[in-house]
Amino acid sequence: MKTMIARGVPALLAALLLAACGAPQLKQPAIDVPVAFKESQDTAAVRTAADGTRWKQAQPAEQQPRGEWWLAFNDPALNELVLEATRNNANLAVAAARVEQARAIAGIAEADRIPQVGLGVGAQRARQSPLELGLPQGTEVTPGTSYSARLTASYEVDLFGRVSSNVAAARGDAATVEANYRSVLLALQADVAQTYFRLRATDAELATVAQTVRLREENVKINQRRFDLGDIGEFDLSRAKTELATTQAEAIGLERQRANAEHALAVLLGKPAAAFTAGVNPLQDSTLLPAIPAGLPSALLERRPDIAAAQRAMEASNARIGVARSAMFPALTINAAGGGKGPAFADVFKWSSRSWVLGALLNLPLIDGGRNRNNVVRSEAALEESVGQYRQSVLTAFAEVEDNLAGLRILSGQTQRIDEAVVSARRSADLAQKLYQAGRSSYLELLDAQRNLAAVERNAVQLRGERAVTTVALIRALGGGWGDTPAVNVAQVAQARN
């Protein structure tokens, strides 16, 4: 019985030591995930996009490739812009380089799993002193040359999980950086699409304002003729000229807005602003925008790259607790070396010149002033920080989806009402024009009807642009599509840029 206890106690102590120094098991933070989005109307329905593809309810798939979601807008110009930005954007190149660095760091950590072997070959010429050789003072000692070749090896035995925890932390960092790369890629694609639609909406607004300018110019001509004939006073003519100049000023302001959007798009494409010109392409109809199903809220936890990055960061922080704990326990390193040494290089490889050494070194910290203990506390606090960041990422993701679902719902209602208002405003302006020409109403009444029509038409154009931009924002909030996401191929990214 005593023998069994004597054998069992060391095993129990070893198990307790391993449990004490290893990384704790990561517990997934509790997240209150709603059953459905508050603003979602029909998440189970399968809809057809503008390009004829089928948009279905999203399935959790952070590790599956995101589709080319912009194809659903059925816009060749947009397709080309997104691909060009993916090839040339500088921020995306920076993110790809970070992926390569993180993978290399993970490879460095992995190298500690295997013995480190080295080869050394050298020559040495030396002269010893007579005293060192036990000879009388003044004895002449001839210098000698020696040659050596030596094979060395060292290996750290992973007794308390330092190596494995360090590898897990490095892998978690690499996965975090890859997820951040996908976040940058998704943000770039969404920014290109949103800037493109804002540019097209500005073109449509410019077209509407240009039409109003032509109407104002016609009014000035008519009022000038009537003033010359004495039918009206100078007041109506001055008012018509004022309205023309004001509308022309609005058109100039829109030109500035368009120029800024064009320059922003050039930067996203990786081009100098002076080297890029976007063709005029007014956004005419918002009915061709794809209907995006929200899917299940739980899918966001695996589909959004920013949430995936927060998850991987938690795993890396958890692994670093194991690294910090292992520093409080002994580290065992095994060293070995063997080779030969002789007065001539050929003698180095003779059997009689051989020598070898084999040793083990056990390092145990005794007094460190609390350094290791505080390092454990710091690592545990870092894990708590990453857990908080993960929870915040999830809450932000849910809020962004709800915001954009609500935005599309409200914009849809606004668009329906503004379309009705456009029909009524055009009818009112037409009637006011006829009454004014018949002399049955004043010019101010005509001007008021025309001004109201111009404002309503511009509002309708702006709403079309907002619906397109918000549709892209919803796709971005949902994680940029669904389907499998392969690991980032940095070599392909670099090749595509070249």
Side-chain angles (χ1 to χ4, degrees), residues 80-316:
E80 180 60 32
L81 290 173
V82 171
L83 294 177
E84 186 174 358
T86 304
R87 289 192 300 265
N88 301 323
N89 184 265
N91 287 334
L92 190 61
V94 170
R98 287 174 179 164
V99 171
E100 195 169 6
Q101 293 176 53
R103 287 179 176 173
I105 292 173
I108 294 172
E110 290 274 4
D112 289 338
R113 288 185 179 275
I114 63 175
Q116 307 298 300
V117 179
L119 175 64
V121 178
Q124 177 180 312
R125 184 169 179 80
R127 177 185 179 279
Q128 293 179 291
S129 68
L131 184 61
E132 183 181 7
L133 296 174
L135 300 176
Q137 185 175 0
T139 302
E140 183 68 25
V141 178
T142 304
T145 302
S146 63
Y147 298 87
S148 64
R150 198 170 187 82
L151 189 66
T152 61
S154 66
Y155 176 69
E156 179 180 349
V157 181
D158 196 17
L159 286 179
F160 300 101
R162 188 199 72 82
V163 175
S164 57
S165 295
N166 194 42
V167 170
R171 286 178 177 175
D173 288 339
T176 300
V177 174
E178 288 194 22
N180 286 333
Y181 171 86
R182 295 190 189 102
S183 290
V184 173
L185 178 60
L186 176 58
L188 172 63
Q189 294 166 346
D191 286 344
V192 168
Q194 288 181 317
T195 306
Y196 171 74
F197 283 124
R198 288 192 183 100
L199 189 61
R200 290 190 59 189
T202 303
D203 285 340
E205 196 171 353
L206 274 168
T208 301
V209 173
Q211 183 179 356
T212 304
V213 168
R214 290 191 293 270
L215 180 61
R216 296 285 186 264
E217 290 174 343
E218 186 63 26
N219 285 343
V220 169
K221 292 179 181 178
I222 293 174
N223 280 281
Q224 184 67 54
R225 287 196 298 268
R226 296 188 66 184
F227 174 75
D228 293 340
L229 295 173
D231 292 341
I232 61 172
E234 187 178 358
F235 175 78
D236 286 348
L237 177 60
S238 298
R239 193 60 181 257
K241 290 181 178 179
T242 300
E243 290 297 324
L244 172 60
T246 301
T247 308
Q248 289 173 333
E250 291 176 356
I252 295 173
L254 286 174
E255 289 287 355
R256 175 177 174 271
Q257 181 177 321
R258 187 189 192 281
N260 290 340
E262 187 179 69
H263 299 160
L265 187 56
V267 173
L268 292 172
L269 298 178
K271 292 182 175 181
F276 175 73
T277 301
V280 176
N281 186 14
L283 185 62
Q284 299 293 351
D285 193 355
S286 59
T287 60
L288 296 178
L289 296 177
I292 310 300
L296 297 176
S298 59
L300 280 184
L301 302 183
E302 297 186 13
R303 195 166 61 229
R304 292 239 327 192
D306 57 335
I307 295 180
Q311 171 75 28
R312 303 299 179 260
M314 276 196 307
E315 295 171 0

Side-chain angles (χ1 to χ4, degrees), residues 42-43 45 47 55-58 291-295 303 405 474 478 482:
D42 185 13
T43 59
R47 298 178 173 87
W55 288 76
K56 63 180 181 180
Q57 181 171 313
I292 310 300
R303 195 166 61 229
L405 286 173
L474 176 59
L478 291 172
W482 34 94

Side-chain angles (χ1 to χ4, degrees), residues 10-34:
L12 179 61
L13 289 175
L16 291 174
L17 286 174
L18 288 172
C21 68
Q25 183 177 3
L26 179 63
K27 296 181 180 179
Q28 185 70 16
I31 302 292
D32 185 13
V33 180

